[in-house]
Amino acid sequence: DLRLMPQVAAYYAELYRRGIAADFAHPEADLSRYRLVIAPQLYLVTDRAVENIKQYVHSGGTLLMSFFSGIVDEHDHVRLGGYPAPLQELLGMHVEEIAPYGSAGHTNEIVFADGQRFTCGQWSDVIRLHDAESIAAYAHDYYAGTPAITRHPFGEGVGYYVGTQPDAAGLRRLLDQVSAEAGLSPAQAQ
């Protein structure tokens, strides 16, 4: 039961809570004016969009991409070689296996390097690092100890990859780190 809009809404709600304005931009659009680009479930990605996103990050941007991204090209042809196939160099990792959860009650936990634990659900990617670092790992099941969220410098910027759906508190923790690195200053919560 994978749907894009709940993913978009979760990220948007957290940005809104922080008082951070958000635009919706096409992945082929000029992204240079943004400090942070969030791409949840960028399932279909054209070669032109791939190059645009790479240039954005290489020039100093921060990208936060979530699971089920880079799966097909503009002709809906599956991209081979692990996911997100065209962005593996930028992200410094690849997804070896995708594992959608069978029920809404199936969850796991992610543990950040500082020991903070959060529930995650709906999906778990089996991530293999190339030269990215794991900033959060799964705590249970087959995935225990493997990366759930990664970070990878690319040129002057950085790419984050989220291989699961963190709960609201986990997303808040992740966006604390990503926003700080992107130089975004959250407004005081009202």
Side-chain angles (χ1 to χ4, degrees), residues 117-139:
R117 300 172 79 93
F118 302 96
T119 301
C120 64
Q122 190 161 16
W123 191 280
S124 286
D125 281 336
V126 177
I127 297 172
R128 298 295 178 226
L129 301 178
H130 299 178
D131 51 357
E133 67 175 309
S134 174
I135 63 167
Y138 296 107

Side-chain angles (χ1 to χ4, degrees), residues 8 34 38 40 42 48 90 119 122 139 156 158 162 166 168 170 173:
V8 171
Y34 301 108
I38 300 174
L42 188 59
R48 184 173 171 196
L90 182 159
T119 301
Q122 190 161 16
E156 298 297 315
V158 65
V162 183
R173 164 59 177 84

Side-chain angles (χ1 to χ4, degrees), residues 83-99:
Y83 304 111
L87 296 165
Q88 290 179 22
E89 177 187 15
L90 182 159
L91 296 167
M93 48 66 70
H94 76 275
V95 174
E96 185 173 277
E97 185 177 340
I98 59 175

Side-chain angles (χ1 to χ4, degrees), residues 13-145:
E14 183 55 31
L15 293 172
Y16 181 82
R17 187 188 73 73
R18 293 165 183 265
I20 297 174
D23 288 336
F24 289 86
H26 193 280
E28 293 179 12
D30 179 10
L31 303 173
S32 63
R33 66 187 175 128
Y34 301 108
R35 292 183 188 170
L36 172 63
V37 169
I38 300 174
Q41 296 178 4
L42 188 59
Y43 170 78
L44 185 151
V45 61
T46 66
D47 290 341
R48 184 173 171 196
V50 167
E51 291 309 312
N52 192 48
I53 292 167
K54 284 181 174 179
Q55 180 60 40
Y56 162 76
V57 175
H58 195 271
S59 297
T62 301
L63 172 69
L64 176 61
M65 179 170 278
S66 80
F67 61 93
F68 208 50
S69 292
I71 306 296
V72 300
D73 66 15
E74 63 270 25
H75 305 290
D76 208 22
H77 295 149
V78 172
R79 292 181 177 272
L80 302 177
Y83 304 111
L87 296 165
Q88 290 179 22
E89 177 187 15
L90 182 159
L91 296 167
M93 48 66 70
H94 76 275
V95 174
E96 185 173 277
E97 185 177 340
I98 59 175
Y101 294 170
S103 67
H106 185 171
T107 62
N108 202 329
E109 282 186 303
I110 55 174
V111 182
F112 281 84
D114 61 7
Q116 292 185 59
R117 300 172 79 93
F118 302 96
T119 301
C120 64
Q122 190 161 16
W123 191 280
S124 286
D125 281 336
V126 177
I127 297 172
R128 298 295 178 226
L129 301 178
H130 299 178
D131 51 357
E133 67 175 309
S134 174
I135 63 167
Y138 296 107
H140 307 290
D141 300 328
Y142 165 78
Y143 323 99

Side-chain angles (χ1 to χ4, degrees), residues 146-158:
T146 65
I149 304 173
T150 65
R151 179 188 175 280
H152 182 250
F154 184 75
E156 298 297 315
V158 65

